[in-house]
Amino acid sequence: MKAAVLAVLACGALPAAAQTTIGISHGIDNLSGPAANWHETSLAMRHQLAQRMGFGGGVTRIERFGISETQFSAGADMPLSDSLTASVDGNVSSEHRILARHALGASLQYEFAKGWLVHGGGRSSSYNDVHVNQSLLMLERYVGNYSFSGAWRAARAFGTTAHSGELRGSYYYSDRSAVGVSFAVGKEAANIAGTTRLTSVQSAALVGRHWLDQRWAVTYALASTRQGDFYVRNGANLGLQAAF
């Protein structure tokens, strides 16, 4: 849940000067039916060199369907010109019984007019039972302290392509603090109890980051997801960040 909803704030509220941020968070998801709650604990570090340049990494421990796994991730952003920014990221899972064995993604962000951005990218994920290729196309608009975006995603697995759409909106109420909402519907690849499937999905999320002062910030997220006929998942995530 967390990775997806925090993307609502990914393109805004970044410091102009170099800064290192370290954060820890914990999330709990309650599933309908007899399945036990999911748990997710993350530790992440990011060094922001400039407005569109930075790198970072993290480690996440998850518990789902009675299985525990650890995932290691890393990523970087770099401006290619005044209007074009490239991003790469990857992750690898220790046990890979639920999460992907490994994944690699890349994207480009292009500001084609003032306040207008287009994002495009792809990701390749290898699970134990299938290889999933994903693509993204998103249009984003900044108006004052607000941003709005619409995205189309496609996932290719088992010889079938699944499509989904997403709408996002964010409000940046200070230099680095923001709150946003997202709504998504369509089909996606999901690992359910150790088996990867293409399932329908409907989700809504509220996510935010609030800086208490120049050094400390809290992050929060609330999300609800209906994963086909398998379950409804309601979750909350709370984190603390420190900047140096």
Side-chain angles (χ1 to χ4, degrees):
M1 176 193 76
K2 185 188 174 188
V5 295
L6 286 183
V8 175
L9 307 179
C11 296
L14 294 176
Q19 177 178 278
T20 298
T21 304
I22 298 176
I24 187 170
S25 64
H26 182 74
I28 300 176
D29 289 87
N30 177 264
L31 275 66
S32 59
N37 290 347
W38 290 4
H39 294 266
E40 175 181 311
T41 303
S42 297
L43 177 65
M45 182 279 294
R46 179 172 175 86
H47 183 63
Q48 194 71 28
L49 295 165
Q51 184 70 26
R52 295 184 293 131
M53 178 182 293
F55 61 89
V59 57
T60 300
R61 184 68 174 174
I62 70 158
E63 298 178 21
R64 299 178 186 175
F65 304 112
I67 299 173
S68 297
E69 288 190 15
T70 301
Q71 183 182 76
F72 301 91
S73 59
D77 310 305
M78 176 180 294
L80 302 180
S81 69
D82 290 342
S83 56
L84 186 63
T85 303
S87 301
V88 294
D89 69 279
N91 57 62
V92 60
S93 173
S94 57
E95 295 85 5
H96 49 78
R97 290 178 291 172
I98 291 290
L99 301 176
R101 182 189 299 268
H102 51 76
L104 182 64
S107 65
L108 291 173
Q109 171 189 294
Y110 178 63
E111 185 174 10
F112 61 91
K114 184 174 177 59
W116 287 94
L117 296 91
V118 61
H119 306 255
R123 170 174 291 274
S124 181
S125 305
S126 293
Y127 293 87
N128 289 335
D129 54 349
V130 68
H131 193 82
V132 180
N133 291 316
Q134 299 165 287
S135 57
L136 163 71
L137 182 62
M138 180 171 73
L139 180 65
E140 187 171 20
R141 169 65 168 156
Y142 283 84
V143 182
N145 294 334
Y146 298 87
S147 71
F148 307 92
S149 65
W152 165 83
R153 288 182 171 84
R156 179 77 177 175
F158 305 110
T160 301
T161 301
H163 303 271
S164 63
E166 182 180 9
L167 295 176
R168 299 177 182 176
S170 299
Y171 170 53
Y172 303 95
Y173 55 89
S174 71
D175 288 343
R176 292 184 293 165
S177 297
V179 59
V181 294
S182 68
F183 303 92
V185 63
K187 289 189 175 182
E188 66 175 17
N191 192 292
I192 300 173
T195 301
T196 306
R197 312 167 189 262
L198 288 176
T199 70
S200 62
V201 63
Q202 301 172 26
S203 67
L206 168 73
V207 57
R209 179 186 293 110
H210 178 75
W211 286 87
L212 304 172
D213 52 33
Q214 290 299 310
R215 182 173 180 181
W216 296 99
V218 293
T219 61
Y220 55 91
L222 297 172
S224 180
T225 301
R226 176 177 292 276
Q227 198 80 48
D229 296 326
F230 295 100
Y231 53 75
V232 174
R233 190 175 81 245
N234 297 309
N237 190 290
L238 185 64
L240 181 66
Q241 291 184 345
F244 302 92

